Amino acid sequence: MTQTALRICPLCEATCGLTLTISDGRITGARGDRDDVFSRGFICPKGASFAELDNDPDRLTRPLVRRNGELTQTSWEEAFATVADRLGTVVAEHGGPSVGVYLGNPNAHTIAGALYPPLLVRALGTRQVYSASTLDQMPKHVALGHMFGSPVAFTVPDLDRTDYLVVIGANPLVSNGSLATAADFPGKLRALRKRGGRLVVIDPARTRTAELADRHLAPRPGTDAALLFAIVHTLFDEGLVALGALAGSVNGVEAVRALAADFAPETVATYCGVDAEDIRRLAREIAAAPSAAVYGRIGTSTVEFGTIGSWLVDVVNVLTGNLDRPGGAMFPLSAVAPAPRPPKPGRGFRTGRWHSRVSGHPEVLSEIPAAALAEEIDTPGDGQIKALITIAGNPVLSAPDGDRLDRALDGLGFMVSIDPYLNETTRHADVILPPPPPSQSAHFDFALNNLAVRNNARYSPPVLPLDDRPDEAEILSRIALILYGVGAEGDPGLVDQQVIATTLAKETADPHSPVAGRPVEELTAMLEEAPGYQRRLDMMLRLGPYGDAFGAKPDGLTLARLKAAPHGIDLGPMQPRLAQVLRTPTGRIELAPEPLIADVPRLREALRVRADGFLLIGRRHLRSNNSWMHNVPALAGGTNRCTLRIHPDDAEEIGLTDIAVVKGPGGELLAPIELAPGMRRGVVSLPHGWGHDRGGTGQKVASEQAGVNVNQLNDGSHLDPLSGTAVLNGIPVDIAPAG
Ligand SMILES: Nc1nc2c(c(=O)[nH]1)N[C@H]1C(S)=C(S)[C@@H](COP(=O)(O)OP(=O)(O)OC[C@H]3O[C@@H](n4cnc5c(=O)[nH]c(N)nc54)[C@H](O)[C@@H]3O)O[C@H]1N2
Ligand SMILES: Nc1nc2c(c(=O)[nH]1)N[C@H]1C(S)=C(S)[C@@H](COP(=O)(O)OP(=O)(O)OC[C@H]3O[C@@H](n4cnc5c(=O)[nH]c(N)nc54)[C@H](O)[C@@H]3O)O[C@H]1N2
Ligand code: SF4
Ligand SMILES: [Mo]
């Protein structure tokens, strides 16, 4: 018998609602859920392959433990006992701070990843915390932190209402959007043009998104910050600055004017490789549009001036009065955000409260750069990492210089990975604890609802029963129990109970909380009788901006209400709410924060350097997701190939016909070329997440089409200094024919 069930797709940031078909206890198909309040039936090829991914025979079903050097299947009891014993030994000998934690991308897509890693870090008391953020969006956090006082005050383009959208360094037709959660991003861009709006794409490659645009500017990689500064310059130069409703809430406008003085379009044109007149025109059009939003992603972020670029994206939004207004760049309001409190000045945002041991990188959001993980493991001395916990990450492929990390991981005293696959990173672990596939996991988007272009709340219960193993919430809870000294056999519910008690104590003591003054026991007793993660979700929903305030607002949200709405609850378009968001000490937007001002001379200097030769950028494939979807036959192959894209004229000039030798600052590799007239001259691209030929892994399909690891070209010494983010785009490389 075939049944269907609903499940939010966890495979990218678009959070589409899927209708899964189930027969004989397995997922057999997936289509878009037409009634989903957020995605309205949209699905992409990855979502359509949900069944294949869920059923991948190479997914681990039982834990692996290293015995005599070999990873061997074992029972959950033994696996946890080994973690308790070996991690316990390291903690006893070297202390919790000697344990490193690496958190990968899928933590943004699971309930467990949202709720438990912070508890592990706290229990360890470690500062050795690393994540994919410093290979991704950390510059955005830093820019937001300095401007608005909160590093998670995400500014999201109001796609459904904007009249003019500038996409800089993003390719949402392929990525389906990032830091802007929008199901059917492609459809929304088409709708924008259909209603008479305009789309401008700034990207060195003529991407699918660029092909859809009214205008495409193709700058030299790494030069967005200068280009954005030139837009800012033009706004001042031509009298186009109009703060509108923001007028009383912005500090530093004159300071920005002064900084932009050196970045006239005519000054930066050669460096950026874009005509000065094109930049001026863009500035004029953004200013003239009834509403406009500038939206930047990976191409503005993982670059030399990532934080300056991310800052200037919002400087343009502010100067043209487009921040926090419909059609501009707005602040979403998630159902699990704290209920809004009366505006009050905050403490502001700081980085560098401590520094990494080996290279002295400043801490950012309590993290050390992922690019520094290897050196923190392989450099002896006080504070060296002795054990490592990885959760949902594959830094051997995702971070610079995986070869060094490969060697470093072998030198650890103990490593445990929570991951469904035996891959390039987890093959170094002493214990692998595999979480169940998505069909057996509940879903709620704790992280991505903060980024949604339309406020909404949706919950998916597990579609299939657990196949005789703990879910990921339980796996992480048991590790927490080990670290608390309770032992892995303890009740995992204790972990959530502790969080609930602490949170409710704080809330009831806060005069501005919707539950101010009420007894904690009364509130606790009202929570859903359910596993701990559900009780926490129920609590957060009820304390949240749309919540029932534990009965005080009878129509408000609870987990039970959410469960009763299987296609989700629409919470309306984004609303202006700057005053709620601001947490700067002045209570105003800081348009010219000191740390950013201090980094501008570095950019000014860069304008003077004349660089020849090729610049390497990345690219993503529709049927892929970083390093971990190359093992599904339905997704591998086709255009999803690890090739070096190069402009045909460039290839001809250097006599390239098939295989190229690519030499970067950190190494060299061979890659088949793909002639691509859409590449800017002098720019080549390679996708990341490939290089599945390291051996000892358990992904058969992926290892048959290994590809090469682009991050081996990078030694990881080059970071955006304000955010610690690795420079992954705009890397100088030499290209020559092989042989
Ligand atoms: N050159 C270059 N490098 C890049 C980038 C680039 O553009 N260019 N992009 C960077 C970006 S944006 C990112 S986000 C990083 C990603 O960096 P990582 O997060 O380190 O790498 P992923 O390939 O996403 O690995 C995800 C891991 O999670 C596992 N996994 C999948 N589902 C689950 C689950 O439900 N639970 C658990 N516990 N594990 C799960 C997978 O098996 C895999 O091992 O890569 C970065 N690296
Ligand atoms: N299908 C698919 N979807 C994904 C992923 C995937 O691997 N595959 N990964 C997911 C993840 S982890 C993330 S973070 C998001 C990323 O989402 P996006 O940022 O939308 O995805 P990218 O394809 O990396 O787009 C970056 C664009 O920047 C351009 N670029 C490179 N250098 C520069 C530069 O210096 N300036 C400018 N202006 N542009 C530049 C590149 O050509 C590329 O088109 O996608 C997510 N979704
Ligand atoms: S766009 Fe993203 S969320 Fe939607 S079906 Fe595709 S992978 Fe899943
Ligand atoms: Mo990412």
Side-chain angles (χ1 to χ4, degrees):
M1 206 184 68
T2 303
Q3 294 168 300
T4 62
L6 301 172
R7 208 310 177 172
I8 299 162
C9 179
L11 304 179
C12 86
E13 296 180 44
T15 70
C16 301
L18 304 182
T19 305
L20 304 177
T21 47
I22 307 161
S23 43
D24 298 328
R26 290 161 64 86
I27 309 296
T28 50
R31 57 178 200 274
D33 170 17
R34 250 173 299 169
D35 298 319
D36 185 278
V37 295
F38 188 68
S39 63
R40 302 276 172 211
F42 180 78
I43 190 168
C44 84
K46 276 192 291 183
S49 300
F50 184 100
E52 288 85 340
L53 203 73
D54 205 70
N55 295 321
D56 184 347
D58 289 342
R59 268 183 193 270
L60 302 174
T61 54
R62 302 180 56 200
L64 302 183
V65 169
R66 193 171 299 281
R67 277 199 205 105
N68 308 323
E70 293 283 312
L71 280 166
T72 326
Q73 280 203 357
T74 185
S75 68
W76 285 93
E77 292 69 29
E78 196 206 320
F80 282 120
T82 308
V83 175
D85 175 30
R86 302 278 308 278
L87 198 56
T89 304
V90 172
V91 171
E93 275 175 24
H94 305 282
S98 74
V99 182
V101 179
Y102 177 88
L103 303 170
N105 170 275
N107 284 300
H109 302 263
T110 63
I111 289 180
L115 297 184
Y116 301 95
L119 305 178
L120 301 186
V121 170
R122 217 168 307 145
L124 287 164
T126 182
R127 289 178 168 179
Q128 294 283 8
V129 181
Y130 303 79
S131 86
S133 292
T134 49
L135 305 168
D136 186 345
Q137 85 290 359
M138 197 59 102
K140 180 80 178 171
H141 287 298
V142 174
L144 296 173
H146 289 307
M147 292 178 85
F148 306 118
S150 162
V152 291
F154 284 105
T155 50
V156 169
D158 186 4
L159 292 183
D160 292 326
R161 292 182 290 186
T162 192
D163 297 291
Y164 196 100
L165 180 67
V166 181
V167 173
I168 175 161
N171 186 13
L173 252 74
V174 166
S175 68
N176 276 301
S178 183
L179 299 190
T181 283
D184 195 11
F185 211 121
K188 288 185 188 297
L189 295 183
R190 288 186 197 101
L192 157 71
R193 299 202 53 211
K194 227 175 177 172
R195 65 177 178 265
R198 309 198 75 196
L199 171 65
V200 177
V201 171
I202 303 176
D203 197 308
R206 191 168 177 80
T207 60
R208 287 205 209 173
T209 309
E211 271 166 14
L212 196 73
D214 295 280
R215 194 133 37 89
H216 172 211
L217 302 182
R220 287 179 61 240
T223 65
D224 292 326
L227 194 153
L228 286 159
F229 244 141
I231 293 175
V232 172
H233 177 102
T234 307
L235 293 175
F236 283 111
D237 192 37
E238 303 192 5
L240 302 173
V241 170
L243 298 178
L246 302 171
S249 331
V250 190
N251 285 339
V253 175
E254 285 314 307
V256 170
R257 179 203 296 272
L259 288 170
D262 294 336
F263 296 90
E266 296 69 21
T267 308
V268 306
T270 314
Y271 168 73
C272 295
V274 176
D275 279 350
E277 194 46 38
D278 282 338
I279 301 176
R280 286 191 179 265
R281 187 168 141 211
L282 181 56
R284 288 175 201 137
E285 288 183 5
I286 297 171
S291 69
V294 184
Y295 161 64
R297 255 327 255 130
I298 286 292
T300 56
S301 190
T302 55
V303 287
E304 206 179 343
F305 300 100
T307 304
I308 301 188
S310 301
W311 163 56
L312 291 171
V313 162
D314 281 323
V315 167
V316 175
N317 287 327
V318 170
L319 290 177
T320 53
N322 280 302
L323 185 91
D324 196 41
R325 81 162 172 200
M330 303 187 76
F331 302 101
L333 184 58
S334 154
V336 290
R341 307 294 207 263
K344 63 160 202 253
R347 270 179 298 182
F349 174 74
R350 276 181 62 202
T351 64
R353 292 165 301 167
W354 56 86
H355 290 78
S356 73
R357 180 179 64 101
V358 180
S359 290
H361 298 300
E363 144 296 321
V364 178
L365 265 71
S366 306
E367 291 186 24
I368 300 300
L373 176 58
E375 69 182 24
E376 290 289 331
I377 300 173
D378 70 18
T379 311
D382 254 8
Q384 185 182 9
I385 296 181
K386 300 290 187 186
L388 183 69
I389 303 176
T390 74
I391 308 176
N394 192 3
V396 167
L397 294 189
S398 328
D401 197 357
D403 287 351
R404 179 171 178 185
L405 186 56
D406 237 348
R407 292 189 298 272
L409 295 179
D410 272 339
L412 283 165
F414 179 68
M415 173 171 166
V416 53
S417 294
I418 294 82
D419 202 288
Y421 284 110
L422 175 55
N423 65 19
E424 296 75 13
T425 297
T426 62
R427 73 190 175 119
H428 295 285
D430 300 290
V431 179
I432 305 179
L433 303 170
S439 61
Q440 298 174 27
S441 315
H443 191 86
F444 182 86
D445 280 301
F446 285 96
L448 302 174
N449 283 352
N450 289 317
L451 300 160
V453 299
R454 196 174 165 96
N455 295 316
N456 73 92
R458 290 168 295 151
Y459 176 78
S460 312
V463 168
L464 299 176
L466 278 172
D467 58 8
D468 202 22
R469 62 167 132 183
D471 62 20
E472 189 159 4
E474 185 179 332
I475 295 173
L476 297 182
S477 295
R478 291 205 184 279
I479 297 178
L481 289 172
I482 290 170
L483 297 174
Y484 293 161
V486 177
E489 326 73 46
D491 170 10
L494 281 176
V495 174
D496 302 293
Q497 216 169 301
Q498 180 71 37
V499 175
I500 289 168
T502 317
T503 311
L504 289 179
K506 234 195 198 148
E507 285 277 337
T508 50
D510 175 352
H512 299 298
S513 163
V515 295
R518 291 174 60 187
V520 168
E521 311 74 62
E522 173 203 321
L523 305 183
T524 310
M526 290 175 76
L527 291 173
E528 181 134 331
E529 284 293 335
Y533 70 85
Q534 290 188 38
R535 289 169 66 77
R536 283 171 71 184
L537 173 56
D538 193 27
M539 172 184 73
M540 291 167 83
L541 289 167
R542 300 177 100 165
L543 293 172
Y546 315 91
D548 84 331
F550 286 82
K553 298 179 190 159
D555 295 334
L557 265 183
T558 62
L559 181 56
R561 291 231 163 82
L562 199 53
K563 286 179 174 173
H567 304 286
I569 295 177
D570 177 41
L571 298 168
M574 292 184 283
Q575 303 287 343
R577 57 184 216 92
L578 176 66
Q580 290 170 9
V581 164
L582 279 176
R583 281 290 175 274
T584 51
T586 58
R588 292 153 67 104
I589 299 173
E590 296 299 344
L591 208 60
E594 208 45 60
L596 282 147
I597 296 178
D599 200 27
V600 172
R602 192 171 62 91
L603 177 60
R604 227 182 277 129
E605 202 52 40
L607 298 183
R608 293 200 267 144
V609 180
R610 292 292 316 131
D612 306 311
F614 284 99
L615 290 174
L616 176 76
I617 61 172
R619 72 172 187 271
R620 286 177 153 75
H621 287 279
L622 190 59
R623 294 166 178 276
S624 197
N625 194 34
N626 302 330
S627 75
W628 71 278
M629 281 185 204
H630 299 140
N631 203 52
V632 176
L635 298 176
T639 55
N640 187 6
R641 289 193 308 132
C642 185
T643 56
L644 183 81
R645 282 199 188 147
I646 183 168
H647 192 283
D649 296 345
D650 281 339
E652 194 183 315
E653 216 169 271
I654 56 175
L656 261 185
T657 50
D658 48 8
I659 309 282
V661 191
V662 187
K663 256 191 216 140
E668 70 174 68
L669 50 77
L670 295 177
I673 65 160
E674 181 183 339
L675 296 178
M679 294 302 293
R680 188 193 150 95
R681 292 289 309 267
V683 179
V684 292
S685 85
L686 266 173
H688 70 284
W690 296 87
H692 303 294
D693 53 359
R694 286 174 192 251
T697 64
Q699 295 183 295
K700 284 179 223 66
V701 180
S703 58
E704 279 158 20
Q705 298 193 42
V708 289
N709 178 12
V710 64
N711 285 324
Q712 214 49 58
L713 296 172
N714 199 343
D715 62 11
S717 62
H718 215 55
L719 307 181
D720 165 44
L722 292 182
S723 68
T725 303
V727 175
L728 302 172
N729 278 290
I731 296 173
V733 288
D734 290 327
I735 313 265

